[in-house]
Amino acid sequence: MTDGTREGRQRAKADFRFDDARLCFAFAGTLADRGTGTPFERLARPEDLSRWAVESGCTADAPRCTAADLERARLLREAIHRTGRALAESVPPAPEDIALVNRAAAEPPSTPELAPDATTVRWRGDGIAAVLSMVARDLIALCASEHRAHVRLCGNPDCEVPFVDTSRASARRWCSMKTCGALAKKRAYRARKQTPER
């Protein structure tokens, strides 16, 4: 996976986030700023979904995506987000969300292909359905593991992306220290500077 950045430039709002994230929750993060009144859609066009498929490492070749594919992907994304929230809150996920995830996972996933030097793996699949199957299967694998008890929601109220807290003290607060964690530090620093000393 890449982090969506290009060397020598600041990360843009439309760049995908893969820092410290499971595949399923990186996909949930394609809708940014959920806690605000104006969420930011990173999957604005079918081409964005195709780009996410490559940047996530789910496929070596950009799959062709249609408007219908984009709609299915967004529905899966929201089902994953709601299921992640349910895990974080220790409540049962909605049956319709589980059904949607299971339908996506039933599609044949991408398959690994070892490079000739045996140092890298490329994933090849039959279109965007194979990529979405991998995303759905990642959520299923999480739910079947002990890590399901460590799902948290990002402490940034504007974000609300789920993440898996694998820290030793189970004290991780942010989906990523590079984004929400850094933002929280900046806000705390500004607040300290503005508070007059007594």
Side-chain angles (χ1 to χ4, degrees):
M1 293 183 186
T2 76
D3 65 358
T5 60
R6 294 194 184 100
E7 201 170 326
R9 74 164 174 85
Q10 288 278 355
R11 185 151 58 179
K13 186 83 166 178
D15 287 337
F16 300 122
R17 310 296 202 254
F18 300 104
D19 310 316
D20 310 319
R22 278 192 74 111
L23 181 65
C24 59
F25 293 151
F27 192 60
T30 59
L31 185 66
D33 300 336
R34 287 177 181 272
T36 70
T38 53
F40 182 83
E41 180 61 80
R42 292 189 175 116
L43 297 180
R45 304 166 302 149
E47 294 81 7
D48 297 325
L49 178 59
S50 181
R51 182 168 57 89
W52 187 91
V54 173
E55 290 184 16
S56 68
C58 287
T59 183
D61 304 308
R64 181 180 170 276
C65 295
T66 65
D69 293 327
L70 181 60
E71 178 62 20
R72 279 192 297 274
R74 287 176 178 170
L75 289 173
L76 175 62
R77 176 188 67 192
E78 296 313 300
I80 287 171
H81 183 266
R82 287 189 296 267
T83 301
R85 175 180 285 280
L87 291 172
E89 295 173 351
S90 300
V91 299
E96 57 270 25
D97 288 335
I98 297 304
L100 202 157
V101 169
N102 285 337
R103 279 196 302 274
E107 295 291 330
S110 297
T111 55
E113 180 180 272
L114 193 61
D117 62 1
T119 60
T120 57
V121 175
R122 291 164 59 98
W123 291 86
R124 297 196 181 276
D126 187 17
I128 196 63
V131 172
L132 297 180
S133 179
M134 291 180 70
V135 172
R137 288 172 185 229
D138 183 60
L139 179 68
I140 291 171
L142 170 62
C143 290
S145 75
E146 70 277 8
H147 295 305
R148 67 175 288 136
H150 300 281
V151 175
R152 311 278 186 263
L153 291 178
C154 183
N156 176 358
D158 292 349
C159 177
E160 298 184 353
V161 168
F163 65 92
V164 180
D165 182 3
T166 55
S167 65
R168 280 189 183 177
S170 294
R172 185 174 153 191
R173 297 178 58 197
W174 320 109
C175 62
S176 172
M177 277 305 300
K178 293 180 182 178
T179 52
C180 290
L183 181 62
K185 283 186 175 181
K186 285 179 187 174
R187 285 175 176 165
Y189 175 74
R190 288 192 196 113
R192 284 195 304 272
K193 285 193 74 169
Q194 291 174 355
T195 302
E197 293 184 8
R198 294 181 181 179

